[in-house]
Amino acid sequence: MDTVSAGHDPDPADSRPTGGAPRPDDALRAVLCGDGVRRCPWAPTGPAALEEHDHRWGAPPADSPGWFEALSLEIFQAGLARWSIAQRWEGLRRAFRGFVPEEVMRMTEDDVDDLLLDPAVIRNRVKIEAVVHNARACTGLGPVDWAQQAGSPPEGARPPGSVLELTRRSPEGDGLAARLKEQGLVFVGPTTAHAFLLRTGMLPGHLAGCFRAGPGTAGSG
């Protein structure tokens, strides 16, 4: 998908062909893509990132496995290049049994050892064991319970105008990390908790101008 322009409506004097020199702000603001839709600048970087951006990132989960999946994905994402986890999404869902906590909690040490040989997942024993442990710690939580843990989105929250305004942590994330740790979950520091809130739409995770940032889009509006 070709990035055409950034930050304003295109006109013939303003657009650039595929392969043209990027503008300095192309990586900072929502960009106009080749299909005429404005997206966050990381969306057109590849098919997996585009799918993640358009359909999952910033969408409030509908059920308990969805909430658990969102937290688990951010645990695996920790320390990796942003959006790299999108390329492993299908493999992780298969390996972790659809992220149904009651199924994940039954995983054994042998299962963990098998996953360390699976190239479709993030082969990090600490993260894998953290997800299995967390499944046991949050079994029985319903969607309402998860939503209460995450807290209500700040009233009047506005999507950031550029990636420079995105933060790696927030007061909401700090509070959530503390609550999750009190509940016995692990690998849920403030940075991971903040990203979880962005992923689930509890905090604005799409830039101003992105089609996912408006009210009713499950983005952040």
Side-chain angles (χ1 to χ4, degrees), residues 62-174:
D63 53 24
S64 296
W67 284 98
F68 180 64
E69 174 184 324
L71 182 61
S72 300
L73 290 178
E74 288 309 317
I75 288 174
F76 282 114
Q77 175 64 60
L80 303 179
R82 190 72 248 178
W83 307 109
S84 60
I85 199 70
Q87 301 177 27
R88 306 291 183 89
W89 179 67
E90 292 184 358
L92 287 166
R93 280 187 55 82
R94 171 189 53 76
F96 287 91
R97 306 172 184 182
F99 288 105
V100 177
E102 291 78 8
E103 295 294 327
V104 177
M105 67 179 290
R106 298 189 181 98
M107 295 177 67
T108 66
E109 285 298 317
D110 287 341
D111 293 324
V112 172
D113 289 340
D114 288 342
L115 289 184
L116 291 173
L117 302 175
D118 188 346
V121 305
I122 304 298
R123 292 179 286 184
N124 181 304
R125 180 179 290 276
V126 173
K127 292 181 179 182
I128 292 172
E129 291 181 342
V131 170
V132 176
H133 170 89
N134 289 346
R136 301 187 182 109
C138 67
T139 299
L141 288 181
V144 173
D145 301 312
W146 277 103
Q148 289 176 341
Q149 287 279 5
S152 301
E155 186 175 352
R158 293 289 182 268
S162 79
V163 294
L164 294 179
E165 297 176 35
L166 287 172
T167 61
R168 291 180 54 83
R169 60 186 295 176
S170 61
E172 293 83 3
D174 292 355

